[in-house]
Amino acid sequence: MSRGKTTGKPPGNTARQLLFSEALRQQKHPPVKDPKDPPPHCHINTGNMEEGPQGASMDRILQEISAVGRKLEGMDSALLALTAETRSMRLEIAGFQSQITGLDQRVTTVETQVASWTENGRELMHLRSKLTDLEDRSRRNNIRLMGLPEGIEGTDLTSFLRDTLPKITDITFDPPLEFERVHRLGPKRQDGNGRPRSIIACLLRHGQARQLLQAARAQGPLKLGTTEIRLSADFSKETVDRRRAFLSLRPTSATWT
């Protein structure tokens, strides 16, 4: 071989091989990319960042944040209104409590008064009972005559009864009947018609009044000619009302079997 000749591939082919080998190496081992580096197809433009996908997501997030803020503002207003209403309700409850306290005091006062009135009522009933008893005792010597025609006694009613009562009762009184007072009840009727007025006769001796009443109960209605005369004790109105109420509650003979 001569020195002028060279062996191997030409220089141009060597450079081409080097470039091909570098390309194969890069394909097998690509360079590590920085996450901050933009993609090769994306042109960096700070003025138009909202036009990309990340800008749209940020816009939605901002809108949601604004909506949440408005909701929070509404909740804040509702909370303020609820606080004001609660304060008003507290004031009303305090007023109701004050009224209830006043009513409780009034009820206590009324209960005390009612208890006092009840005690006074018992005392009053006791006093009325004693007064009725005293009134009945003061009338022990009285007899009541009913059915005696008016005018039949003439001008002296006391003398007429002194002579008539022993005859219609068949009782001989010794000493003779004596009266403290005798009178008819109520004003004199001008026309003379109607039921005769009753006569109240107060005898001097209680024993004689009791004899007359016993004879009247034993004989029934007394006769003066064709006129029936009834005698009864002269009780107070309270005693008469109690006796009538008692007799109205008594069973009649038809109810007994």
Side-chain angles (χ1 to χ4, degrees):
M1 180 181 294
S2 63
R3 293 181 178 182
K5 294 180 180 181
T6 58
T7 61
K9 295 180 180 180
N13 293 334
T14 302
R16 188 178 298 168
Q17 291 176 356
L18 290 173
L19 291 174
F20 184 72
S21 299
E22 183 66 22
L24 289 175
R25 188 181 65 79
Q26 290 180 359
Q27 289 179 358
K28 293 180 180 180
H29 304 285
V32 179
K33 295 182 180 181
D34 190 354
K36 297 181 180 180
D37 294 339
H41 63 275
C42 181
H43 298 282
I44 298 175
N45 187 358
T46 57
N48 297 326
M49 185 176 293
E50 296 180 357
E51 294 179 358
Q54 294 181 354
S57 299
M58 185 63 69
D59 193 12
R60 286 196 299 272
I61 292 173
L62 292 175
Q63 291 179 358
E64 292 178 359
I65 291 174
S66 299
V68 172
R70 288 192 295 271
K71 290 181 180 180
L72 290 176
E73 290 179 357
M75 292 177 64
D76 191 13
S77 300
L79 183 60
L80 291 175
L82 182 60
T83 303
E85 186 175 357
T86 303
R87 187 180 296 110
S88 177
M89 291 177 65
R90 287 180 178 176
L91 293 176
E92 291 181 359
I93 291 173
F96 291 153
Q97 289 178 347
S98 178
Q99 293 180 2
I100 290 172
T101 302
L103 291 175
D104 190 15
Q105 294 177 354
R106 293 176 63 183
V107 168
T108 303
T109 304
V110 170
E111 288 178 347
T112 304
Q113 292 179 353
V114 168
S116 176
W117 293 340
T118 303
E119 186 64 26
N120 293 337
R122 294 194 187 98
E123 185 177 359
L124 179 62
M125 291 295 295
H126 178 66
L127 293 176
R128 289 183 62 179
S129 177
K130 292 183 66 175
L131 180 62
T132 301
D133 182 67
L134 290 174
E135 186 176 358
D136 289 335
R137 287 179 180 275
S138 67
R139 298 185 180 191
R140 292 177 62 198
N141 294 357
N142 290 2
I143 59 173
R144 184 186 293 258
L145 290 85
M146 294 164 286
L148 189 66
E150 294 197 31
I152 194 174
E153 68 274 10
T155 58
D156 191 355
L157 181 59
T158 301
S159 299
F160 176 80
L161 293 180
R162 185 184 299 114
D163 297 335
T164 304
L165 289 177
K167 294 179 182 179
I168 61 177
T169 57
D170 294 332
I171 300 175
T172 301
F173 292 97
D174 187 21
L177 293 176
E178 296 185 44
F179 298 92
E180 291 185 2
R181 59 185 180 275
V182 178
H183 66 278
R184 286 185 181 269
L185 295 176
K188 184 177 180 180
R189 295 182 177 89
Q190 299 297 329
D191 53 3
N193 298 324
R195 187 176 180 179
R197 293 176 295 165
S198 299
I199 298 174
I200 300 295
C202 178
L203 284 85
L204 182 63
R205 300 175 181 84
H206 174 67
Q208 293 179 344
R210 186 172 55 187
Q211 283 181 288
L212 289 171
L213 294 174
Q214 288 176 351
R217 283 194 294 269
Q219 300 177 22
L222 303 176
K223 292 286 187 177
L224 180 61
T226 58
T227 304
E228 290 187 355
I229 301 175
R230 291 177 296 166
L231 271 68
S232 66
D234 182 32
F235 292 109
S236 62
K237 183 178 181 302
E238 288 77 8
T239 302
V240 172
D241 292 339
R242 284 201 301 267
R243 289 171 62 90
R244 287 176 180 173
F246 175 75
L247 293 175
S248 64
L249 295 176
R250 290 179 59 184
T252 59
S253 58
T255 60
W256 296 93
T257 56

